[in-house]
Amino acid sequence: MTITGEDHARALTGPWWWARWRSAVLDGSVALVSAVECGAEGIPFARDAGVPVWVGIVFGVIAGSVLLLRRKWPIAVVLVAIAITPAQMGFLLGVVGLYTLAACELPRRVLAALAGMSLLGTAVVTFVRVRQDMARGDLTLGDWFLPFAAVTTALGLTAPPLLLGLYVGARRRLMESLRERADSLERELQLLAERAEERAEWARNEERTRIAREMHDVVAHRVSLMVVHAAALQAVARKDPEKAVRNAALVGDMGRQALTELREMLGVLRAGDGGGRRAASASSLAAVGEAAAAAASRVAEAEGAMEGPWLSELEELVGQSAAAGMVVDLSVQGDVRSYAAEVEQTAYRVVQEALTNVHKHAAGAKTYVRLAHRVSEIAMQVENEPPPEPASASAGLPSGGNGLVGMRERVAALGGVFVSGPTDGGGFRVSAVIPAV
């Protein structure tokens, strides 16, 4: 695998300006060979210049060793190679220097200027040396050979390293671009994975909230009525056996209805278990995304999986509360029509939870249930009067404080408006408006 990001930065562990120890060893070896070459070529240079041989050798060694700096200062290396060209030394220095210069990210005008200087210097020196050889009689070729040898030698020593350096530099820049793209893609994939995990967590939280809300709505109302009837049964068991029998029958009906609704809910949850296990066992990015989508769709499917309750059952709901001793007045305005399943279920649950709260907190209070069918929305309101003083200590029904929260969440999920609060007369009012579409 390629090294990207911080790993690539940490890989730069070479000494001084070298990225790696391997590069430092390579440059040191090439510089050593260049120093030996220039030192050997310094001997004839010293003889021709009339200086001591050791001076020519030292000069050549110093000039050849400049190649050690080719990665740090490539322009200086090429200038040194051009400077010692008249001394006929620095063949390796000039070739490697031009290659390094072309491979670096330098302005093209700088590269062209230095390459032109090297080409011109090599051509001039070659022309002069070949002419001297022809003058001494070492070469007997015609005058045409002078420009041919000068141009051929200059091109041969300049063009190949220059073209190879340009190719290597372009390839290096391409690899760096691909590496940067790989880093960017890796960051994007990591971001997508994090977002997919957030979506999956959000879907799980939404499903847990929905389950808690459904359990609360199904259990709280039925059990509240059962507790109220049980209290009434205890009070009249000896005084009015017939009423006690009716209350006992009502308690049984409430229990059976609660069990039926719980079985329906549990059936929906069991139907979604297979997808949940598959989502939990997945660890890749695609599996996380599928888990989020599956959980979100499962939430939507589970909402409509249970049939009912419907607004047509509202009279039966009010009748159950009336049978428990509550004085309830139901009024319906507008043309009765059918709505989408989630709209009717939400409206029913709002009225159901509001009546449950009256049983818990205002037992014996007269309650008004109003339902209005409008053109593009359905509105409902449940308002109770202050409870009579003797009834304030009711059957002791517990309250978890989740009823109003659940109603608000249900209505807001459909784009509706929910308002609740005490009235001026000391009672309590719950109002909701839900879009019909």
Side-chain angles (χ1 to χ4, degrees):
M1 296 181 63
T2 58
I3 299 175
T4 59
E6 296 181 0
D7 294 334
H8 179 67
R10 286 195 295 267
L12 305 179
T13 56
W16 297 322
W17 56 83
W18 285 283
R20 300 175 181 84
W21 277 100
R22 181 179 58 187
S23 302
V25 172
L26 175 63
D27 287 357
S29 302
V30 174
L32 179 62
V33 174
S34 176
V36 172
E37 177 209 347
C38 291
E41 293 170 345
I43 298 175
F45 166 72
R47 292 173 181 170
D48 294 341
V51 297
V53 175
W54 66 269
V55 174
I57 295 176
V58 171
F59 175 74
V61 170
I62 295 175
S65 301
V66 175
L67 196 58
L68 191 66
L69 310 176
R70 70 183 188 94
R71 296 181 191 267
K72 185 68 172 177
W73 296 296
I75 296 178
V77 173
V78 175
L79 290 176
V80 171
I82 295 173
I84 64 175
T85 300
Q88 287 188 315
M89 62 174 63
F91 169 78
L92 183 62
L93 179 66
V95 171
V96 178
L98 282 174
Y99 162 79
T100 306
L101 184 70
C104 294
E105 296 182 2
L106 292 174
R108 292 300 182 210
R109 61 179 182 274
V110 175
L111 177 61
L114 292 177
M117 291 172 59
S118 177
L119 178 68
L120 182 61
T122 304
V124 170
V125 171
T126 303
F127 184 87
V128 172
R129 289 295 182 179
V130 172
R131 187 172 183 177
Q132 290 177 352
D133 291 340
M134 293 180 64
R136 288 196 302 265
D138 295 340
L139 292 175
T140 58
L141 297 174
D143 294 339
W144 62 270
F145 184 72
L146 289 175
F148 174 77
V151 173
T152 304
T153 304
L155 289 176
L157 294 179
T158 305
L162 192 64
L163 295 177
L164 180 61
L166 290 173
Y167 167 75
V168 172
R171 184 176 180 276
R172 181 185 301 129
R173 287 188 291 272
L174 176 62
M175 295 301 296
E176 291 177 356
S177 175
L178 293 177
R179 185 181 296 112
E180 291 177 357
R181 291 183 181 181
D183 291 342
S184 177
L185 180 60
E186 183 179 356
R187 289 191 295 269
E188 290 179 2
L189 289 176
Q190 184 176 2
L191 181 60
L192 288 175
E194 293 175 356
R195 290 182 177 177
E197 291 176 1
E198 291 175 359
R199 287 182 57 197
E201 183 63 26
W202 172 85
R204 287 192 292 267
N205 292 335
E206 286 293 317
E207 191 167 8
R208 285 194 293 266
T209 302
R210 181 193 63 82
I211 294 172
R213 187 168 57 239
E214 288 291 339
M215 294 290 290
H216 178 273
D217 292 343
V218 169
V219 175
H221 182 73
R222 304 296 182 188
V223 174
S224 298
L225 292 180
M226 290 171 64
V227 172
V228 171
H229 282 293
L233 177 62
Q234 184 180 5
V236 302
R238 295 181 180 179
K239 298 178 182 179
D240 191 349
E242 294 182 1
K243 187 175 182 180
V245 171
R246 291 196 300 270
N247 286 340
L250 288 174
V251 171
D253 291 339
M254 296 295 175
R256 283 188 290 272
Q257 291 175 5
L259 287 175
T260 300
E261 293 184 358
L262 285 175
R263 288 193 188 100
E264 291 177 354
M265 278 196 62
L266 293 176
V268 171
L269 296 179
R270 290 194 185 97
D273 278 348
R277 293 193 188 99
R278 288 192 299 271
S281 62
S283 59
S284 65
L285 174 61
V288 174
E290 292 175 1
S297 62
R298 199 161 59 249
V299 172
E301 292 173 358
E303 287 286 351
M306 294 167 46
E307 295 185 358
W310 310 102
L311 287 176
S312 58
E313 304 173 13
L314 200 58
E315 293 185 2
E316 180 182 354
L317 175 67
V318 172
Q320 293 173 355
S321 295
M326 179 187 295
V327 180
V328 188
D329 180 21
L330 173 64
S331 63
V332 180
Q333 300 175 358
D335 296 332
V336 178
R337 64 184 188 275
S338 60
Y339 301 91
E342 58 269 19
V343 174
E344 294 207 12
Q345 292 169 12
T346 300
Y348 182 93
R349 293 300 188 193
V350 169
V351 176
Q352 182 187 54
E353 181 59 28
L355 292 177
T356 301
N357 288 341
V358 175
H359 282 291
K360 290 181 179 180
H361 308 292
K366 187 175 182 179
T367 305
Y368 302 92
V369 179
R370 301 181 182 91
L371 184 67
H373 298 273
R374 300 171 182 170
V375 177
S376 59
E377 61 187 15
I378 179 174
M380 64 227 65
Q381 184 181 86
V382 179
E383 180 179 351
N384 62 274
E385 297 178 352
E389 289 297 330
S392 58
S394 60
L397 293 171
S399 176
N402 297 317
L404 296 177
V405 175
M407 286 190 283
R408 182 176 290 104
E409 289 176 350
R410 283 182 177 276
V411 174
L414 299 180
V417 178
F418 177 84
V419 178
S420 63
T423 62
D424 296 336
F428 199 84
R429 181 187 297 116
V430 172
S431 302
V433 178
I434 304 174
V437 181

